[in-house]
Structure formats: structure tokens, C-alpha cells
Amino acid sequence: MKITKRMKVNYGLAQMLKGGVIMDVTSAAQARIAEKAGAVAAMALERVPADIRKQGGIARMADPTIVKEIMESVSIPVMAKVRIGHFAEAQILQELGVDFIDESEVLTPADNRYHIPKLDFNVPFVCGATCLGEALRRIKEGASMLRTKGEAGTGNIIEAVKHIRMINEEIALLKGNRKLQKTFAVRERVPLDMVKDIAKNQKLQVVNFAAGGIATPADASLVMQLGVEGVFVGSGIFKSSDPERRAAAIVEATTNFNNPKILARVSSGLGEAMPGLDIKDLDIKYAERGW
Amino acid sequence: MLNEDGSLLTIGVLALQGSFAEHIAALKKCKVNTREVRLPSDIEGLSGLIIPGGESTAIRTLLQVSGLDKAIIKAKDKGLKFFGTCAGAILLSSKIEGESNYSFGFIGAVVSRNAYGRQLYSFEKEFDIKNIGKFNVIFIRAPKILYVGKDVEILARDGRDIILAENDSCLIATFHPELTGDLRIHKYFINKISKNKNAKK
């Protein structure tokens, strides 16, 4: 895959976010709390995933007024979500000047066959992936960053962990196995040179974060130790009893993910975490949206 | 590069957040010892410290909660040399335009954050750098260095704006040499440290 200058600066922005926490916010006030706590970016939303699950209905791109308000209230990068395949929503967000677009399964998908042709845009995209094939299809379409598709709004980390382990194991299996690399490329409908590249470097071409279900500093440490390069926290912060402290604690935990002493300190006395949901009780599994 | 006792130079990279892995990889290719710096005790024995690109507000917060801010000031007084890229340049500068936010003030430079605009205005372009030559420069939501003090040498400009500058203790870049695979600016920093060590002998 040819890397254009635009792709290089967009991959680069994702690299600058590494080791950091990206937080869902629904207002300028929440965005300022996130920034003060040390978030590396704010995800502008109308409703956090926990509320989307509860209220049901069609979840769409946020009202541009909210996105703009949030962009004006902080100096960190601002991201916003569009529905899978909804390139018109993406055109609107690019026009607003957001720094990153999340083509997200948390919103109701708009297209059952095609994701957004992301190479048509100058703004970078982050997309979810449950496995290596899905990750490569998104990179080929032009995603500059990936994240797991853990079940957002549940406070349950198991799905994100599953996706991280799946991708790690698939990358390891490809190492030095030319025959498998070929079969994999055909089966997953991705270019062989991309598969070879990953097999050789033992690493995805773009930055990969964990998203979905992160509610505690320990959750952040767990996914970082499994090898992701940063975390998204959605409902986990503003659905908890003390958002300021929890946000700061998750930031510190993400940096010091392998230091149990610091993790013990920042995990203490945070109050109630967000209320959780078991995966088997979910009406809709977001990870099944997109392919 | 060697220390006086013949051991390899060790250069640390502030690893709180941002492109620290890229800097570590670049330093390793330059054949120096490296260390990720997350705690005040990690600074012990370093000859240089790189403050990487990332989000300057996030890095500043983490510097304060870890107590690294005070440890870094102490190390500067003992002669530690610094290289800051993008967010790192902001943190090393003496003043951030229009903000009361803290910066170390190790180099007399006034910077303006996100001065080119949001991500859509990030770009890559070739510039001529003094003592180094043509260099592919990647700007990502980059700051601009607006003015520098008399003791600061300007190494490269983008029109009126300064993009690379140095004084005795610091080298600051508004861009990201760690993303290019081109090691010349990292080598320049390593030489800066060893030159200084030799001068002291």
C-alpha cells in the first residue's frame, strides 16, 4: 500500500496520542474536565454509549453545535463519531474541522455493505476491529488508527480483551509462514503485501487502542499490558460517581500500566464505578456491526 | 558515543505519553543506551533527555503528578541536556503565547500552540537545516516558535517562524524527526552532548 503524505501526517497524529486516554464527552464542561485530567483527546458525543443502550432508537452523528462547542472549549484534539458507511456525516465533520473521525459501531450503521471510503478524506479516521482481517480491511480503506470493538456502555472489559488477544495471536501465527500468509490474504480479502508486512514486523501498520468496557484504572492497565497503545474511555468516566478523580486515575494508570505500586494508589477511593452489564444480557452486540 | 569512563552514553526519553517509542527506536539506531523515563528515579545517570511529541497538556499533568517536573529541574542544574520535539519544545520553552500554563523555561523561546490550526492543516515539507542540510519535516498540529532570546541559535525557519533552535542546554524542534526514519537530528543532539562533555574535560 502506498503511503501518501496525507496518510503520513494522519498516522502521525495517532502516534502522538499513544500512551494516552481519549474520553467521551457530551458538553464543553465535560471536555474541560477531561482535558484537565490529562486526556489526550476528547470524543464529542450527544449521548454516551450507556445512554444509547438504555434509550434505544437510532443513534446518529452529534449535532454540529455540540461538536463545535467542544472544539472551542479545549486545546486537545477533538474526535467525533459517524455511523458505519455514512460518508455524508463524515463530510460534515470534516467541514467542521474535527481532528479525527470515529466510524463507530456504537452508532446505528448506515450501510450494510460498505464502510466509508476513507482515502477520499483529508481528516484521519479511527475504526474498530475484532480481528486481524477486519483491521487490515479498515487500514486498506484508509483508517489511520484502530481500536477494539469492546461492548461500549457495559463497563465490561471481556470483549475488548478478546479482540486484543485475537489480533495478537493472528499476527504471531503469520510469522514466517508464507503459505498461511497467502491463504489469510485470500480468505480475508486483503492485499498480500499488507499481510507480509505485518508478518515481518509483527505489528499493525497503524496505532491500535482499546475501546469498549474500560471502567477502572485496572482495566486500562490490563489492556495496555496486553499490548494496545492507549485507551478510549466512554461511559466509564461520566457515568461514575466522581468523574474528575476517575479520569485522572485512568490517565495515570495508562502511563504507569506496568507499575503495580502506582496502580494500587490510583485505584483507591475512587467511589462507585459505572453500573455494569453482562454480555449475555445485551439486546444488541455492537461488535457484530461492521465486518 | 562514550562516557568518560568508556561506558556508552545513556539518553532517556520521557515516556509519559506520545511518540516515545519512536524516539527510543531512533536512539537505538544511533548506538546509544536508552531508557524510558516515567519516575523521578529514572533520571539518575542520564546524559540527555528527550521530551517527545504528544499532547503537551497531558504530558504536563503527568509531569506534575509524578514529581518528574522537580526532578528534571534539578537534573538541568547538574548539566542534563534536552531535546524537545513538538509538545516537548513547548514544555522546554520560556513562554507559551496567550497562556499562563507552566513550561520549564530552559530555552528563551516564545511558542504558540497549534499555530498552524487543527489536523487538516498538518503537513509534510522539505526544509533546509543549518549544519544538517535538506530534511523532510512533518508538522502535526504543530506549534510555532515566534521569538527567541539572544543566546539562542536558529537552525531552521519556515518563512518567519522558527522550527529548529538551540541554546547550550536544549535543542527544540516544532516538528517530528522521530517519525521520519532520518537520524541526522538525533545524531546532532548526541554530538551536542558529547561535545559538551569533551569541553568540560
Side-chain angles (χ1 to χ4, degrees):
Chain A
M1 201 166 70
K2 194 182 168 288
I3 309 288
T4 63
K5 283 191 173 187
R6 191 68 232 168
M7 286 160 80
K8 225 193 266 180
V9 296
N10 283 345
Y11 285 15
L13 178 57
Q15 283 169 282
M16 293 311 132
L17 302 175
K18 287 197 299 183
V21 182
I22 299 165
M23 300 182 192
D24 278 4
V25 299
T26 57
S27 66
Q30 286 188 354
R32 280 190 290 266
I33 291 173
E35 182 175 55
K36 200 164 162 242
V40 291
M43 176 74 74
L45 285 167
E46 238 170 67
R47 297 180 285 171
V48 292
D51 289 332
I52 293 175
R53 270 193 199 281
K54 221 186 289 166
Q55 293 159 10
I58 304 298
R60 308 180 177 90
M61 171 186 82
D63 186 321
T65 325
I66 295 181
V67 179
K68 270 200 265 181
E69 232 177 72
I70 290 168
M71 284 167 65
E72 281 157 17
S73 66
V74 290
S75 69
I76 53 176
V78 173
M79 303 185 166
K81 287 187 196 291
V82 298
R83 289 178 262 178
I84 289 174
H86 208 314
F87 54 82
E89 284 186 347
Q91 288 160 356
I92 293 170
L93 289 183
Q94 174 165 274
E95 183 59 32
L96 294 180
V98 297
D99 297 290
F100 237 108
I101 294 176
D102 183 3
E103 186 179 18
S104 177
E105 69 285 357
V106 171
L107 306 184
T108 315
D111 193 317
N112 69 341
R113 292 180 60 207
Y114 297 101
H115 281 249
I116 294 171
K118 292 168 274 288
L119 289 173
D120 293 352
F121 290 78
N122 285 325
V123 64
F125 282 80
V126 53
C127 290
T130 59
C131 60
L132 185 58
E134 198 175 1
L136 287 179
R137 286 190 288 279
R138 297 296 88 78
I139 296 171
K140 190 181 133 219
E141 289 160 1
S144 300
M145 179 177 179
L146 294 170
R147 55 169 178 74
T148 63
K149 289 166 86 175
E151 289 299 323
T154 63
N156 192 337
I157 195 71
I158 186 169
E159 295 296 306
V161 167
K162 199 193 283 178
H163 305 160
I164 301 167
R165 285 201 184 276
M166 175 66 94
I167 291 177
N168 286 349
E169 283 162 17
E170 285 177 304
I171 292 176
L173 274 176
L174 290 172
K175 190 176 180 179
N177 190 338
R178 291 233 177 125
K179 209 172 148 196
L180 184 65
Q181 291 165 21
K182 265 191 200 158
T183 340
F184 184 86
V186 172
R187 191 188 75 201
E188 298 293 339
R189 293 165 284 128
V190 292
L192 181 58
D193 63 330
M194 280 180 81
V195 179
K196 281 185 175 164
D197 191 39
I198 284 184
K200 185 171 155 244
N201 299 324
Q202 288 293 293
K203 203 175 171 342
L204 291 166
Q205 287 91 341
V206 302
V207 168
N208 188 26
F209 272 40
I214 293 153
T216 67
D219 288 344
S221 165
L222 174 67
V223 292
M224 290 294 289
Q225 289 190 55
L226 288 174
V228 295
E229 296 167 291
V231 301
F232 286 80
V233 188
S235 323
I237 289 170
F238 290 100
K239 286 286 165 190
S240 73
S241 64
D242 188 348
E244 281 93 343
R245 279 196 64 192
R246 187 164 292 267
I250 294 177
V251 167
E252 224 182 314
T254 304
T255 292
N256 299 290
F257 65 90
N258 53 12
N259 186 327
K261 205 174 185 174
I262 292 181
L263 292 166
R265 174 171 59 75
V266 301
S267 299
S268 306
L270 292 180
E272 289 274 323
M274 67 177 287
L277 285 169
D278 200 335
I279 304 298
K280 69 177 191 322
D281 300 329
L282 300 180
D283 296 330
I284 301 172
K285 272 189 83 178
Y286 291 153
E288 287 164 3
R289 294 170 164 177
W291 44 92
Chain B
M1 287 303 153
L2 303 179
N3 281 318
E4 283 149 44
D5 62 359
S7 63
L8 275 174
L9 262 184
T10 304
I11 297 180
V13 181
L14 192 68
L16 298 175
Q17 191 273 312
S19 56
F20 56 86
E22 290 79 355
H23 275 295
I24 295 263
L27 289 173
K28 280 187 177 154
K29 281 189 200 148
C30 296
K31 307 257 186 290
V32 293
N33 278 334
T34 61
R35 186 189 301 158
E36 292 185 1
V37 173
R38 288 192 178 82
L39 302 169
S41 55
D42 294 333
I43 294 193
E44 198 65 36
L46 294 180
S47 303
L49 178 68
I50 295 182
I51 306 185
E55 275 311 309
S56 59
T57 49
I59 297 175
R60 181 187 294 110
T61 305
L62 288 160
L63 277 169
Q64 286 163 350
V65 295
S66 62
L68 262 169
D69 52 348
K70 291 188 192 88
I72 286 174
I73 293 168
K74 243 191 222 163
K76 155 83 166 51
D77 292 340
K78 286 188 193 155
L80 187 64
K81 305 288 174 206
F82 299 88
F83 176 21
T85 60
C86 197
I90 294 169
L91 291 164
L92 291 170
S93 72
S94 48
K95 168 85 188 134
I96 306 167
E97 195 196 39
E99 289 182 26
S100 56
N101 278 327
Y102 177 83
S103 55
F104 284 117
F106 293 167
I107 180 164
V110 179
V111 299
S112 167
R113 289 179 58 213
N114 304 336
Y116 294 86
R118 308 194 75 98
Q119 175 61 8
L120 287 170
Y121 299 97
S122 294
F123 65 102
E124 182 187 9
K125 198 178 157 188
E126 199 175 69
F127 285 95
D128 232 331
I129 293 176
K130 197 176 166 186
N131 309 328
I132 288 176
K134 293 208 180 309
F135 199 93
N136 223 12
V137 164
I138 300 178
F139 292 111
I140 296 168
R141 286 170 46 93
K144 288 180 177 179
I145 303 170
L146 304 177
Y147 321 100
V148 293
K150 276 196 187 132
D151 61 333
V152 176
E153 188 177 4
I154 295 166
L155 299 173
R157 284 177 180 273
D158 170 18
R160 252 196 294 170
D161 308 310
I162 301 151
I163 60 172
L164 185 68
E166 68 174 337
N167 66 1
D168 279 348
S169 65
C170 295
L171 175 66
I172 56 171
T174 60
F175 55 95
H176 296 282
E178 76 275 18
L179 299 185
T180 58
D182 188 332
L183 301 173
R184 285 175 296 163
I185 298 181
H186 285 86
K187 285 183 178 155
Y188 186 85
F189 178 58
I190 295 166
N191 279 331
K192 184 180 171 74
I193 295 170
S194 60
K195 247 195 329 211
N196 192 273
K197 281 195 181 263
N198 289 332
K200 266 190 198 158
K201 261 187 221 174

